Amino acid sequence: MSSISNRFYVTALEDGTTLHGNLVSDKSLTQSWNDESAVPDWTIASEQPTIYLTLLSGGTLVEPSTEFTWYYNDEAISFNASGISANGLFQRTTKSVTMGTVTATMPALKIIGNLASSDNVDMDRIAFVGNYTINGTGISFRAEAQVRITRMESNGYLGVINFKDGVSDITEKGQSILMYGTLYGSDGSPVTGATTMWYLNGASTGTPGATISGYSQAYQITESQVVDHAVIACRFYVGNDLKYTSYCAVDDMQDPEYMYVQYNGANGNAASLRRGEVARFDIFVGTRTDPTPIGGVSTPTYQTYKVLLLDGDGEIIMDSSLTQQIPNPDTNGYRTLPMEDGKAYITPDYATVNSHGKNLTGIIIASTSAS
């Protein structure tokens, strides 16, 4: 099961080996501007997200080549001798990642300044472009993460999901992932008495936030609950009033099943459209070492794919009759995607994206059932 919102795939094949690059953040990549300041404040060390690369060759954790470039909104980031970016927003660092018996040192980027401002209240992009050598051949790849920047109205709210110890990936059998939610008010402070309900993979029944390992409004899932990728929704309440809904994802890196997303015939799921253009995403579940649908093209094991579309503000798009034959939503906002040759597909166009805040996020859930 998979989410497009903060999960980006890059796949290259060389002598039967599949390369999977992904950018992961240890804190929510969401920030709001309240007309005076940014919420949360990323100049405070405890609030700063760190984005790091995970790279798998087949099912094995590997390190990229030492020559690579970070990008912010398609502009290469330059760093001084201390690893601070020229614009003062980022710090170059590393992250130790362990999967099974393999530990790798991965490139990482810490956000140390506020991206939200009166002039910046839309989606930002962080990208990593690098290489990995397979059998003497350097294979280039790109991984991308989105930072959602929104405007917080007076008396507005922002809900943020963070992970205990910054761990959001499953790398071994039986592992648990603990996450917790914080609701901020328009003054930038956490809202006293706010509560949460947590939903796994579009479930209709939620789990109330609890105090776990000292973290309040927390939720925990185990490795057995995740197949490749799990999507979690957190609803924030003040009293009985729903104030905000946030989404996050947990990746099971050691699970052999893997959801592929292909954009216009090439691997990768980040598209930029100009006026009049259409993107086609093909989605299917294979394994990390074999990019063909499990069960075959005619009888795929995963028979049903549903997508939840979010607009530029992170709100569920409930509109019917979207262009390019995008299916209509059910009462919860999920749209069942059509299938072709064992793969699901969706074809958003520029007009649809432009009319919904100029950004479109798709959260995809695959099921082995026929409905």
Side-chain angles (χ1 to χ4, degrees):
M1 299 180 182
S2 185
S3 165
I4 294 179
S5 61
N6 67 344
R7 181 163 169 86
F8 295 82
Y9 307 95
V10 181
T11 304
L13 298 179
E14 178 69 20
D15 295 335
T17 303
T18 303
L19 192 65
H20 309 284
N22 184 39
L23 289 183
V24 182
S25 177
D26 63 0
K27 292 183 181 296
S28 176
L29 292 178
T30 302
Q31 192 175 51
S32 285
W33 180 255
N34 66 5
D35 289 332
E36 294 182 355
S37 60
V39 181
D41 185 353
W42 285 345
T43 65
I44 300 174
S46 61
E47 300 282 4
Q48 293 167 349
T50 296
I51 301 168
Y52 60 94
L53 176 73
T54 62
L55 186 63
L56 299 181
S57 180
T60 303
L61 185 68
V62 296
E63 296 180 2
S65 302
T66 56
E67 296 295 325
F68 56 82
T69 304
W70 289 98
Y71 288 84
Y72 175 49
N73 291 335
D74 298 326
E75 294 288 335
I77 304 174
S78 59
F79 300 89
N80 63 22
S82 299
I84 305 299
S85 65
N87 59 15
L89 297 175
F90 307 103
Q91 180 179 9
R92 186 175 55 197
T93 183
T94 59
K95 173 81 170 181
S96 180
V97 179
T98 299
M99 180 175 171
T101 60
V102 179
T103 297
T105 300
M106 292 296 182
L109 188 72
K110 178 179 286 189
I111 303 177
I112 59 174
N114 291 318
L115 304 187
S117 69
S118 58
D119 298 323
N120 185 26
V121 287
D122 57 9
M123 195 80 74
D124 284 358
R125 301 182 309 280
I126 305 292
F128 178 95
V129 177
N131 288 272
Y132 178 68
T133 301
I134 299 177
N135 296 333
T137 301
I139 300 175
S140 63
F141 67 93
R142 176 186 177 97
E144 186 172 306
Q146 293 180 341
V147 184
R148 187 182 300 281
I149 309 293
T150 61
R151 185 179 298 279
M152 182 182 288
E153 303 298 333
S154 176
N155 298 320
Y157 296 89
L158 175 69
V160 172
I161 301 171
N162 289 318
F163 292 88
K164 180 180 181 293
D165 299 325
V167 177
S168 61
D169 285 340
I170 293 173
T171 58
E172 59 185 36
K173 287 288 186 182
Q175 182 179 348
S176 296
I177 299 293
L178 177 63
M179 62 206 78
Y180 56 97
T182 303
L183 183 67
Y184 293 90
S186 57
D187 63 353
S189 301
V191 177
T192 302
T195 60
T196 56
M197 288 288 291
W198 299 81
Y199 299 81
L200 177 63
N201 290 332
S204 58
T205 303
T207 300
T211 298
I212 306 174
S213 300
Y215 293 88
S216 61
Q217 298 306 318
Y219 176 64
Q220 185 169 267
I221 61 174
T222 64
E223 175 267 338
S224 62
Q225 295 174 274
V226 181
V227 178
D228 176 34
H229 201 69
V231 178
I232 297 102
C234 179
R235 297 179 183 174
F236 294 85
Y237 292 86
V238 175
N240 293 322
D241 296 331
L242 175 64
K243 297 299 185 182
Y244 202 89
T245 301
S246 292
Y247 299 88
C248 68
V250 172
D251 184 12
D252 188 348
M253 294 173 62
Q254 51 88 54
D255 200 308
E257 292 176 296
Y258 186 86
M259 178 177 283
Y260 287 81
V261 178
Q262 297 181 329
Y263 163 51
N264 286 358
N267 292 298
N269 62 355
S272 297
L273 299 179
R274 293 183 175 86
R275 188 178 300 276
E277 291 183 335
V278 179
R280 171 165 171 146
F281 291 104
D282 291 284
I283 306 113
F284 62 97
V285 177
T287 68
R288 294 187 185 271
T289 57
D290 184 4
T292 55
I294 295 174
V297 171
S298 59
T299 57
T301 301
Y302 286 81
Q303 303 176 45
T304 303
Y305 292 77
K306 296 185 177 183
V307 64
L308 187 73
L309 297 179
L310 308 179
D311 65 16
D313 292 324
E315 299 293 333
I316 298 174
I317 298 173
M318 294 299 296
D319 301 3
S320 298
S321 302
L322 295 179
T323 58
Q324 296 298 322
Q325 301 177 340
I326 296 176
N328 292 336
D330 61 19
T331 55
N332 294 316
Y334 281 91
R335 304 164 189 263
T336 301
L337 296 179
M339 300 281 291
E340 183 176 270
D341 297 328
K343 302 176 182 180
Y345 67 90
I346 186 171
T347 54
D349 65 359
Y350 170 86
T352 299
V353 177
N354 186 62
S355 64
H356 289 90
K358 300 185 182 300
N359 287 285
L360 194 70
T361 297
I363 296 175
I364 306 168
I365 294 177
S367 171
T368 55
S369 66
S371 63

